[in-house]
Amino acid sequence: MNVTEPHMTGTGMLALDTTTEDAGAVRAEVAVLPIGSFEQHGPFLPLMTDTVVACAIARRIADAYPVHLLPPVTISCSHEHADWPGTVSISAATLYAVVRDIAVSLRGSGVEGLVLVNGHGGNYVVRNIVQESAGTDMRMALFPGSSDWAQARERAGVETPSHSDMHAGEVETSILLHDHPELVRPGYETSDFVSDERKHLLSLGMRAYTESGVIGRPSRASAQKGRELLAALVDAFAEYHSLLAPADTSRRTR
């Protein structure tokens, strides 16, 4: 195994056989932490969808930049999905504590930058964690940002507006169709459901706005769109890496 390119497991997570030698060979100033969720994604996408998406992004970042790739945080803040079987959540306070503890541990080992690759929109607290890092000895960033997603959506030719493409829609289904098509079950082609008026989502949960758990147009998804979405996000990460690791802004060469 090439120590600069530890292989991944089937869902794109860090391989179980990655050693300290593998990590040390990269000598990264920046760590990348995928944060997903364990929640319903309709009848055709897995509970692990957000984690798979975050890992797909993080894995491609690690392929392109000298970063220390971490295993994902899989269970997070999915309380709005609690009405569907399989969904599991932790509190925002717990997620905050976990991420902060990881940052402190990394800093203790000499890693001074941490990028949170967030795959679940309900993890609002991660914004506060990054916000509070300003002016400290741990440089942090949240990726992808809204502008990064907007550029990626445009490049990939995503048809559904971002507000309508909320959950198990065109973007998420496209990324899984490209990265892990075996995880996408039949039915996405006929599961479109639009619910743009979601004023009381945080109070009432998703069930008030969708019976299937889907809000979006997964029928418009394609593997090609997924490929372009991920490629665009890898390009967008260059600015973040330059910001957090100014001593080493180069992308890896193959």
Side-chain angles (χ1 to χ4, degrees), residues 35-37 39 50 76-81 89-92 95 118-127 166-167 201-202:
I35 303 176
S37 71
E39 66 186 34
D50 289 342
S76 61
C77 304
S78 301
H79 305 84
E80 68 273 26
H81 299 275
S89 292
I90 57 177
S91 70
L95 180 58
N118 183 38
H120 173 49
N123 291 335
Y124 307 110
V125 71
V126 296
R127 298 175 62 89
M166 179 202 176
H167 195 68
L201 175 67
L202 294 182

Side-chain angles (χ1 to χ4, degrees), residues 55-237:
C55 286
I57 297 169
R59 184 176 76 248
R60 282 164 176 78
I61 288 171
D63 285 343
Y65 302 87
V67 298
H68 179 32
L69 180 60
L70 300 172
V73 176
T74 301
I75 297 178
S76 61
C77 304
S78 301
H79 305 84
E80 68 273 26
H81 299 275
D83 286 334
W84 282 271
T87 299
V88 180
S89 292
I90 57 177
S91 70
T94 299
L95 180 58
Y96 177 99
V98 168
V99 175
R100 288 299 307 171
D101 282 355
I102 290 170
V104 169
S105 178
L106 288 167
R107 185 66 185 87
S109 64
V111 178
E112 299 180 354
L114 175 61
V115 178
L116 309 181
V117 177
N118 183 38
H120 173 49
N123 291 335
Y124 307 110
V125 71
V126 296
R127 298 175 62 89
N128 298 115
I129 297 171
V130 173
Q131 177 190 37
E132 292 173 9
S133 72
T136 71
D137 59 0
M138 187 63 168
R139 301 185 298 272
M140 297 181 69
L142 181 62
F143 184 81
S146 57
S147 62
D148 304 315
W149 275 119
Q151 292 172 8
R153 292 168 65 88
E154 181 177 2
R155 172 168 162 179
V158 173
E159 302 171 55
T160 315
S162 58
H163 181 72
S164 300
D165 192 37
M166 179 202 176
H167 195 68
E170 185 176 358
V171 165
E172 289 185 322
T173 306
S174 290
I175 291 176
L176 264 68
L177 282 172
H178 168 62
D179 203 57
H180 284 286
E182 75 280 3
L183 299 182
V184 182
R185 297 188 181 183
Y188 73 91
E189 306 92 338
T190 56
S191 293
D192 290 5
F193 185 81
V194 177
S195 180
D196 284 347
E197 176 51 56
R198 308 185 296 269
K199 182 177 181 179
H200 300 293
L201 175 67
L202 294 182
S203 298
L204 301 177
M206 286 278 289
R207 181 67 82 175
Y209 300 98
T210 171
E211 287 297 320
S212 67
V214 176
I215 296 181
R217 296 187 176 94
S219 69
R220 300 183 179 182
S222 72
Q224 179 60 32
K225 290 177 182 178
R227 181 191 301 274
E228 290 301 318
L229 284 163
L230 291 172
L233 292 176
V234 169
D235 290 343
F237 187 78

